[in-house]
Amino acid sequence: MPKRRKTSEAGAFVKIGDKVISIEGYLKGVPKNTGVPGGGGATNPPDGTQEDESSQQGKPQSTDSRAKKTPHRNDIRDALRKNDVLVVVAETGSVPGVRYVIDTGKAKVKQYRVRLGMESLLPKPISKSSAIQRAGRAGREAPGQCYRLYTEESYENILKDSDLPEILRIDVLGAVLTMKARGINDIFSFPLMDTPDDEAFEKALLHLHVLGAIAGDGSLTEMGRKMAYFPVTAPYGRVLLAAGDPKNDCLLEAIDIIACLTAGDDIFYQLRSEEEIEEIQESRKELYRREGDLLTYLTTVQQYTAEHSDRVEWCKRRKVNTRVMKQALNIRKQLRGLCLKEKMLADAPPQDPQPFTPTSPERAEIILKCFLTGFAMKTALLAPDASYMTTFGKHVVAIHPASVMHGQKREAIMFLEHVFTTKNYAKKVSVIQANWISEAMGS
């Protein structure tokens, strides 16, 4: 539950007509019991003195409709306490019945750092356009109000007019591969509406060269053409091609894992309390693999598809997100169809459910080596001080608490995501051997 945030009179304002008032000042002016439905009790007079029930008898009821619309003091304070949830819902959804929007003026923004080669997820000030959008969520169906927890001066001087375009916030690796596949060779002079820095293009070209998607002269290779065919990122496309190689023959397993990774949210619900962890840990034990997160995802998909009675109950017992699992199966079906069309699969896979067979350690090694062909640049070695140091960039990273590898120390790890929040985190982690990295890089 989000913590209650304290607000000062200068920290929030709302404009009603020609009058600008602070939310804290407004709360001070709202009596503890306003007489609105659900408020209960008697109505306090403006001077703050308490009237007993006998003094209320015989008095006519107020016919002012505005009194019924006045929000209860506790309602607004509850809204403030839950403002993190309300802001997200108000800006991105069309939730019916929203009357009050609490705008903190902040949003967690994911941004790719080109020089560091990692993403950051940090709270930043929103733009004026986002502030207007948030305010517009209140009162779509009836009159509403928006409370902004920042000063009018901050709105005018600190908030930018609009958000940074997405192409300037993300890794342009996929965009560059698509442009190359469409025959655009000189990507630096292509007239994009918002053009990233040359450094972003250079890093993307280097990464594609490491993946084998482009040749030394910048032209698209046959492997690059095949990678661009798949509706996944370039590294995942490289993994599919490696897994489809007859000497590896683990394409179905790679598809299952990639389907989980690209389904949106994590397939596992995060366990917040110690009680939840103790309760669910035993049920999830059959899913966890000592090789790391990728094999854990594979085991989860295989056991889920092998379930032929009640998949919803199966997910509920293990705190697995049913919606995400269904989306993963849709992606799985699409990728299988594309691989069948490209003749990467000799025959159509059998229909579910199929009996579950645990992946052997030998086959798990083959699968991880296939993923290493796409993510060799996201590896780390164990340092003498028991920390992990990335092989490229030399950053100290910690395994994310959501990983099954959290708290473990191994010779080398591969991670699919590198995100900075409160610290440098490696996510989607698997155990590898150090010599596999040089093999994957072709040296």
Side-chain angles (χ1 to χ4, degrees), residues 25-44:
Y26 178 73
L27 288 175
K28 290 178 180 178
V30 177
K32 292 184 178 179
N33 291 303
T34 60
V36 296
T43 302
N44 292 334

Side-chain angles (χ1 to χ4, degrees), residues 200-221:
F201 282 137
E202 291 169 0
K203 288 290 183 69
L205 289 171
L206 176 61
H207 195 174
L208 289 174
H209 181 64
V210 172
L211 293 174
I214 59 175
D217 59 357
S219 60
L220 191 70
T221 63

Side-chain angles (χ1 to χ4, degrees), residues 151-164:
T151 63
E152 193 166 10
E153 181 182 0
S154 298
Y155 177 87
E156 296 294 342
N157 300 327
I158 297 179
L159 270 58
K160 297 180 180 179
D161 291 335
S162 59
D163 296 321
L164 194 67

Side-chain angles (χ1 to χ4, degrees), residues 45 134 163 216 229 287 346 429:
R134 291 181 177 187
D163 296 321
Y229 174 75
L287 305 178
V429 181

